[in-house]
Amino acid sequence: MADKQITVTSPLLPNLDEFNAMLKEIWASKWITNNGQFHQQLEKALAEYLKVPYISLFTNGTLPLLTALQALRITGEVITTPYSFVATTHSIWWNGCRPVFVDIEEETCGIDPEKIEAAITPKTTAIMPVSCYGKPCKMNEIQAIADKYGLKVIHDAAHAFGVEVNGESWVSKGDLISLSFHATKVYNTLEGGAMVMHDEATKKRVDFLKNFGFAGETEVVAPGINSKMDEVRAAYGLLNLKQVDEAIKKRHQVAIKYREALRNVPGIRFFDDMPDVRHNYSYFPIFINAEEFGMTRDELYFKMRADGILGRRYFYPLISTFSTYRSLPSAGAENLPVATKVANEVICLPMHHELTDADIERVLNHIVNR
Ligand SMILES: *Cc1c(COP(=O)(O)O)cnc(C)c1O
């Protein structure tokens, strides 16, 4: 029966000796936060790696979302997806704005651009799409609608680290882009995150906002917050950046093996690579058609769990069903039929850089050789 547990993810950890050497430097300098040398180095290294003009580090991936809405002075209603991690919608709520849920499309699990216009009102000021599982959402269509109605686009790219489309950075798409470096993500700084922006003036303003609004020793220019990344995590992030490509390669190998085995299993749907996209293989969601597969999603989920295989039902339940949001007019299942269906079909299989062939076989056994 259950030997070792196979978790849905496993954090990418830097070499401990190299990390210790950097900690010694931090101790020697006694500069532990407030834009220290490693913070500066990591911003530079990430801007290069991600091929983006400007980036600002944050202490997690929720605060850049909150701060993006502040930086763009978003008010009123924000159109967003219910099929995401709850922080996406919370950031709208924390800004005193009203989230308006629009259904997703099955093809990308991102917001369905064809359903956005019907949700726009005179109070709408922004759209907050998510590139779910790191799959590029329909950004061109979303941006065209935003341009037509004068809306801002805040892209929650928490899953999309390193994703490129036609050689272009996907985390440069949108007016402001938010990234998460949480332990469960492809690239982590323990906790951490970042905001990507397109010009120096915005970078400056965001840097003020993440440090209480301080523009100088005695000058406060905005009601800012404290969401700065410290030196310890910046050092850790520099080390992890050196090995993230290798980790993504290993994830790719896992995806290839899953796909090979699952391709002809009736009732199981999964994503193939998209043309001209550099994927990051951050998640491996499968979608279960209970009738064709002969077992419901939850039956499979709990059967795997009993054997120590800890997949996750990302994203179930939908954000729109949580107590804070369920009374919103846009939150009903009848407004969100695709998201509701997908949320009831999905399991994210274990996906990380340390999975062995034996692990993969154990996972697949539950699905292929039932
Ligand atoms: C992880 C995640 C966040 C929040 O990031 P934290 O670093 O955990 O604060 C926001 N949005 C999405 C889609 C996420 O997956």
Side-chain angles (χ1 to χ4, degrees), residues 60-62 65 84-85 87-88 130 156 158-159 180-182 185 192 283:
N60 60 49
T62 300
L65 285 171
S84 181
F85 183 61
T88 310
V130 178
D156 185 346
H159 301 177
S180 166
F181 307 149
H182 183 257
K185 307 305 207 260
Y283 300 87

